[in-house]
Structure formats: structure tokens, C-alpha cells
């Protein structure tokens, strides 16, 4: 196991001193979880490899192996100590961890905590623990007479590791802690113009153990090696950027909405995904039509039958009613901030322009129909409790398309549906930079809200 010595440095303790952890609670706190055996292994790699590689003078291997192993050890120590899983170590958590794994006095534990807590806010973050591990690793190598990568400061190493983690988390759609070739291809195609062959070669290069998967540690090693290469080339007047290679800068792109209408847009014609999205849309519309017919036959109550308190509640719920129409709001946003580009056909040949507009039309009709029946329910109410109950009862129907996408994404239906659903989670479209269009969604929402208020006023006058 790993702990901190009297100076805050890394030491090893016996695995049997660690009590078993609740697996489900720990695994739900993120992907930095390590078993006690993995923690012991990563700590040993971090320290022993540091000595060996420093003697060989291979700074590139130091970057690729010892730094990543040190970060693994830091993450393992942090996860074991962070018992409440909130992403911070309080002094009580830190003291409890240190008393279990060391024989330090309370005064020494307080000093070590203060040393790690750089900003003095009374809490230790994962980044502060990582920084301390890297600092102690560097000091250990220097003490043993080794050569450290002084041209890449620890602060930069931390930032590079964080960038690698962000890229990994975006690409790991399944959340299983490994990138398949399919996930990597989807991510790269969304962010870069690289050919399929170039992406396959990059995957093979990053998959160091050639097991067909890329781990978080392998991504970190590539980012760290590239950072060192950037430093070396900068000294020679050259420039190399991992961001350019992986295309992680996507400020000019906007994500598609995660629903079956985006699935309809990306799916090829007459495929499973195409018909699946159509089925979900027509299923929702059929149910909405049945409810609408029932509500219209019910009619609206006379104004004298509706208490003043109910009318006031109806008015207050109008903005809530509109805000809950996600499909309607998303349609306004898409046409105000995004546009179809023919480049998407290289990735998804079925994502033609007319399907982009038809999918958005389906989404718009979905939101508009739900807005109609929700508003009708509100205006037909004669008591407050009944109004809330009817309003809430329809919300499950509104989420059918999201549930359908999740079923496909999680692989409960078929592999082809799973692939397209995961592509929806990764796909982005270019942002438009028209100031006029970018205010269109706000204008559309304002007009819709005004129409709802007018409907409420007319109901009071006409009934």
C-alpha cells in the first residue's frame, strides 16, 4: 500500500493493514478506483521504476511509466482516504487514513496535511495529492543521483494528465474504463479530419500492450510523452501539439441532443435505427392524440366553477409548463446555434440535410403537442391538487424518447442500435456565428410564453 512518511513522502505499508472497502460505493465515485492490490502494485512501480529509469537516463521512459504510476498511486491513496466520496479530503478523513497506515503523531499529521493543502482552505483535493506525490518522486530521484525531466515542471505534468483524463472520459461512452477501437474512432471522427487508416494507426500506437483496448494510463502516457516532445521541439524552434493531433479543441462545435430524433438523423435509410426512431415518435404521438381527444371531449369548466386561487396557480404554472417542454426548447436552440454541414456525410452517409430538418420537425411536433395537452390540463383544472397530479402524471410520457435512447445505448436491444445511439452521444455539429440567429431561440421562447399567457386570459374571458 501507499502512505506518506514524516516529510509527506511516499512510503509502502502492508496490504493487510487496509480494511476491505464497499465495492459498489467505491466504484460509483469515479474511475480512479483501485483495489488494494492494484494500489500496492502501482506504488511499487512508482518508486522502483523511478530508481531504475533515473540510472538509465531515459527521460522519455520516465514520462511514459514512472509519472503515470505515480499518478495512479496518488489517485489510489486519495480514493481510499476520501470515505464520503465528495472529491475532497477533510482533516478528519486524512487523519483517519494516516492513523490506519502510519504511526505518525497527531502533530506530524497536522503538519503533513498543511503542507499538502497548498491553498490553505482546510481541504485537500486530488490535484494537491497528485502534486505532492510528483514532488516527492522528483526529490527521491534527485536524492539517488538520477536525472529528472526538469524541462517539464510538475505543474505542467498535472495539467497534461488532467487533459488526458478529460479526453478519455469523453471518448469512453460505455463508461467501462477502456476505449475500444469503435469508441476511439467515433471520438476522433467527431473531432478531427483524420482518415480511418490514420485513426487505426494512432489507436495501435496508443494501445501499448496490444490487447485491443486503450486504458486511461495509456492515454496519459501518450499525452505526457507528447508534452516532453513539445518542450524538446520548442527548444529547437519547432512546434508539436497533441491537441492538433487529437483535435480536442471543439469550441466551435455544439453537441447533438441525446434523443431518438438525433438517432433518426444519423441513421441510414431503412435501417433498424431509422425505423426504431420512427416507431418511438409515432408511439408518442398516438398516445398524445388519444389524450388530446379525451381532453377536448371533456370541455372547459365555466369561469364561475374555477376558484380564484386555481386561476392564480394556473398563471404561475405557465412558465413551468413551457420550461418542461424540452423538445420544443431544444428545437429552438438547434436552429439558432447549429447548422448542417455536408462534411458529416463522410462520417454518417445517412445524415442527409432533409433528415436533419425532418428530425427537428418531429422533435418540434413532439414538444408542441405536449405543450398543448399540458396547457389544456391546466386550464381544465378546478382544484389545485388535481391540477398538480394531472400535470405530473403526463411527465412520464414525455420522457419515452429519452428512455428509448438509453435502452439502445446500453445495448439492451441490438448492436446496430447501440452503435447509432452511442454515435448520438459523441456527434457534434458546427456552431453558427450569426448574431441574428443566435437570438432567435430567445425570441421564439418569448413568443411561445406570450401565447400561453394569452390563452390563459382568453380562457377567463370566454368561459
Amino acid at each position: 500500500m501507499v502512505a506518506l512518511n514524516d516529510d509527506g513522502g511516499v512510503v509502502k505499508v502492508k496490504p493487510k493493514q487496509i480494511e476491505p472497502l464497499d465495492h459498489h460505493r467505491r466504484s460509483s465515485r469515479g474511475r480512479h478506483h483501485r483495489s488494494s492490490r492494484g494500489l500496492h502494485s502501482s506504488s511499487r512501480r512508482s518508486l522502483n521504476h523511478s530508481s531504475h529509469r533515473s540510472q538509465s537516463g531515459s527521460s522519455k521512459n520516465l514520462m511514459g511509466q514512472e509519472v503515470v504510476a505515480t499518478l495512479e498511486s496518488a489517485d489510489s491513496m486519495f480514493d481510499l482516504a476520501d470515505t464520503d466520496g465528495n472529491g475532497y479530503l477533510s482533516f478528519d478523513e486524512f487523519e483517519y487514513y494516516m492513523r490506519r497506515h502510519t504511526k505518525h503523531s497527531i502533530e506530524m499529521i497536522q503538519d503533513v496535511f498543511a503542507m499538502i493543502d497548498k491553498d490553505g482552505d482546510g481541504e485537500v483535493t486530488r490535484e494537491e495529492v497528485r502534486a505532492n506525490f510528483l514532488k516527492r518522486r522528483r526529490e527521491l530521484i534527485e536524492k539517488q543521483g538520477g536525472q529528472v525531466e526538469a524541462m517539464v515542471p510538475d505543474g505542467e505534468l498535472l495539467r497534461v494528465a488532467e487533459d488526458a483524463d478529460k479526453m478519455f472520459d469523453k471518448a469512453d461512452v460505455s463508461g467501462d474504463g477502456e476505449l475500444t477501437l469503435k469508441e476511439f474512432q467515433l471520438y476522433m471522427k467527431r473531432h478531427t479530419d483524420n482518415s480511418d487508416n490514420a485513426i487505426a494507426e494512432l489507436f495501435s500506437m496508443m494501445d501499448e500492450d496490444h490487447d485491443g483496448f486503450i486504458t486511461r494510463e495509456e492515454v496519459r502516457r501518450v499525452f505526457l510523452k507528447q508534452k516532453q516532445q513539445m518542450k524538446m521541439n520548442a527548444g529547437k524552434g519547432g512546434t508539436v501539439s497533441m491537441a492538433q493531433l487529437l483535435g480536442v479543441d471543439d469550441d466551435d462545435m455544439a453537441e447533438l441532443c441525446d434523443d431518438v430524433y438525433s438517432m433518426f438523423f444519423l441513421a441510414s435509410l431503412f435501417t433498424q435505427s431509422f425505423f426504431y426512431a420512427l416507431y418511438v415518435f409515432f408511439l408518442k404521438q398516438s398516445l398524445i392524440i388519444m389524450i388530446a381527444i379525451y381532453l377536448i371531449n371533456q370541455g372547459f369548466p365555466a369561469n364561475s366553477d374555477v376558484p380564484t386561487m386555481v386561476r392564480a396557480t394556473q398563471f404561475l404554472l405557465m412558465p413551468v409548463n413551457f420550461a418542461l417542454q424540452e423538445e420544443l426548447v431544444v428545437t429552438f436552440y438547434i436552429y439558432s446555434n447549429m447548422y448542417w454541414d455536408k462534411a458529416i456525410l463522410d462520417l454518417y452517409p445517412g445524415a442527409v440535410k432533409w433528415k436533419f430538418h425532418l428530425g427537428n420537425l418531429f422533435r418540434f411536433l413532439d414538444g408542441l403537442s405536449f405543450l398543448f395537452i399540458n396547457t389544456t390540463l391546466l386550464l381544465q383544472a378546478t382544484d389545485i391538487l388535481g391540477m398538480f397530479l394531472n400535470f405530473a402524471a403526463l411527465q412520464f410520457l414525455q420522457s419515452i424518447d429519452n428512455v428509448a435512447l438509453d435502452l439502445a445505448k446500453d445495448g439492451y436491444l441490438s448492436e446496430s442500435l447501440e452503435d447509432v445511439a452511442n454515435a448520438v452521444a459523441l456527434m457534434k455539429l458546427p456552431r453558427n456565428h450569426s448574431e441574428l440567429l443566435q437570438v432567435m431561440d430567445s425570441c421564439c421562447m418569448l413568443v411561445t410564453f406570450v401565447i400561453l399567457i394569452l390563452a390563459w386570459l382568453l380562457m377567463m374571458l370566454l368561459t
Side-chain angles (χ1 to χ4, degrees), residues 259-267 273 276-277 405 408 417 420-421 424:
D259 57 26
V260 293
Y261 305 114
S262 295
M263 194 173 178
F264 170 83
F265 166 49
L266 295 182
S273 302
Y276 180 75
L405 181 73
L417 289 176
V420 178
V424 169

Side-chain angles (χ1 to χ4, degrees), residues 228-243:
Q228 185 186 42
Q229 187 63 44
M230 289 171 61
K231 288 287 185 178
M232 293 173 62
N233 288 348
K236 300 176 182 178
T239 57
V240 178
S241 171
M242 176 60 78

Side-chain angles (χ1 to χ4, degrees), residues 254-417:
E255 293 183 355
L256 288 177
C257 179
D258 288 350
D259 57 26
V260 293
Y261 305 114
S262 295
M263 194 173 178
F264 170 83
F265 166 49
L266 295 182
S268 297
L269 286 174
F270 310 121
T271 59
Q272 269 192 347
S273 302
F274 177 84
F275 288 115
Y276 180 75
L278 285 177
Y279 169 76
V280 174
F281 170 72
F282 286 112
L283 172 64
K284 288 187 70 175
Q285 291 305 303
S286 299
L287 294 173
I288 290 172
I289 290 172
M290 292 178 185
I291 295 173
I293 293 173
Y294 173 81
L295 293 176
I296 292 173
N297 291 334
Q298 288 287 101
F300 294 94
N303 202 35
S304 58
D305 295 333
V306 182
T308 304
M309 185 65 71
V310 174
R311 287 295 187 202
T313 306
Q314 290 173 348
F315 178 81
L316 294 175
L317 281 177
M318 283 301 171
V320 178
N321 177 29
F322 173 72
L324 289 176
Q325 309 312 315
E326 179 185 3
E327 284 77 14
L328 199 60
V329 175
V330 167
T331 304
F332 294 157
Y333 172 81
I334 288 175
Y335 278 109
S336 299
N337 296 276
M338 303 162 63
Y339 66 93
W340 180 89
D341 190 284
K342 65 179 181 180
I344 194 174
L345 297 176
D346 294 333
L347 306 179
Y348 302 99
V352 292
K353 191 172 186 177
W354 68 265
K355 282 176 69 246
F356 171 72
H357 293 301
L358 184 58
N360 283 320
L361 177 61
F362 287 162
R363 185 184 288 110
F364 175 79
L365 293 175
D366 185 343
L368 191 63
S369 56
F370 262 102
L371 183 63
F372 171 77
I373 61 173
N374 279 339
T375 304
T376 303
L377 269 178
L378 287 178
L379 297 179
Q380 286 183 342
T382 57
D383 67 277
I384 294 178
L385 182 59
M387 182 195 316
F388 277 100
L389 290 176
N390 291 331
F391 191 74
L394 283 179
Q395 299 312 305
F396 85 95
L397 183 58
Q398 194 166 357
S399 63
I400 285 180
D401 57 323
N402 295 327
V403 173
L405 181 73
D406 290 336
L407 287 173
K409 186 188 299 183
D410 293 337
Y412 291 110
L413 302 177
S414 70
E415 185 174 351
S416 62
L417 289 176

Side-chain angles (χ1 to χ4, degrees), residues 141-274:
I141 296 174
E142 289 177 337
K143 185 177 181 179
Q144 295 175 344
Q147 184 180 16
V148 297
E149 54 276 30
M151 60 182 179
V152 184
D154 290 341
E156 292 189 33
L157 292 178
L158 287 174
R159 286 191 292 272
V160 172
E162 290 170 7
D163 290 340
D165 288 347
K166 288 178 182 178
M167 177 265 174
F168 184 90
D169 291 336
K170 285 183 178 180
D172 186 20
V173 177
S174 64
D176 60 359
E178 294 178 324
L179 299 186
T180 63
L181 177 59
K182 181 66 175 178
E183 288 176 318
F184 189 72
Q185 286 175 332
L186 288 173
Y187 178 86
M188 293 294 292
K189 287 181 177 181
R190 185 182 71 172
H191 293 288
T192 73
D193 296 326
N194 293 335
S195 66
D196 290 342
N197 288 338
I199 294 173
E201 290 176 4
L202 181 59
F203 182 89
S204 178
M205 182 269 292
M206 298 178 73
D207 182 19
E208 296 179 346
D209 55 5
H210 304 293
D211 63 350
F213 299 94
I214 295 177
T215 64
R216 182 185 299 274
E217 288 69 32
E218 287 172 330
V219 174
R220 283 179 178 175
R221 279 194 284 271
V222 171
F223 271 68
L224 290 168
K225 290 176 182 177
Q226 185 63 25
K227 183 63 177 179
Q228 185 186 42
Q229 187 63 44
M230 289 171 61
K231 288 287 185 178
M232 293 173 62
N233 288 348
K236 300 176 182 178
T239 57
V240 178
S241 171
M242 176 60 78
Q244 293 175 353
L245 180 62
L246 296 179
V248 295
D249 185 9
D250 54 355
D251 292 339
D252 289 329
M253 305 291 286
E255 293 183 355
L256 288 177
C257 179
D258 288 350
D259 57 26
V260 293
Y261 305 114
S262 295
M263 194 173 178
F264 170 83
F265 166 49
L266 295 182
S268 297
L269 286 174
F270 310 121
T271 59
Q272 269 192 347
S273 302
F274 177 84

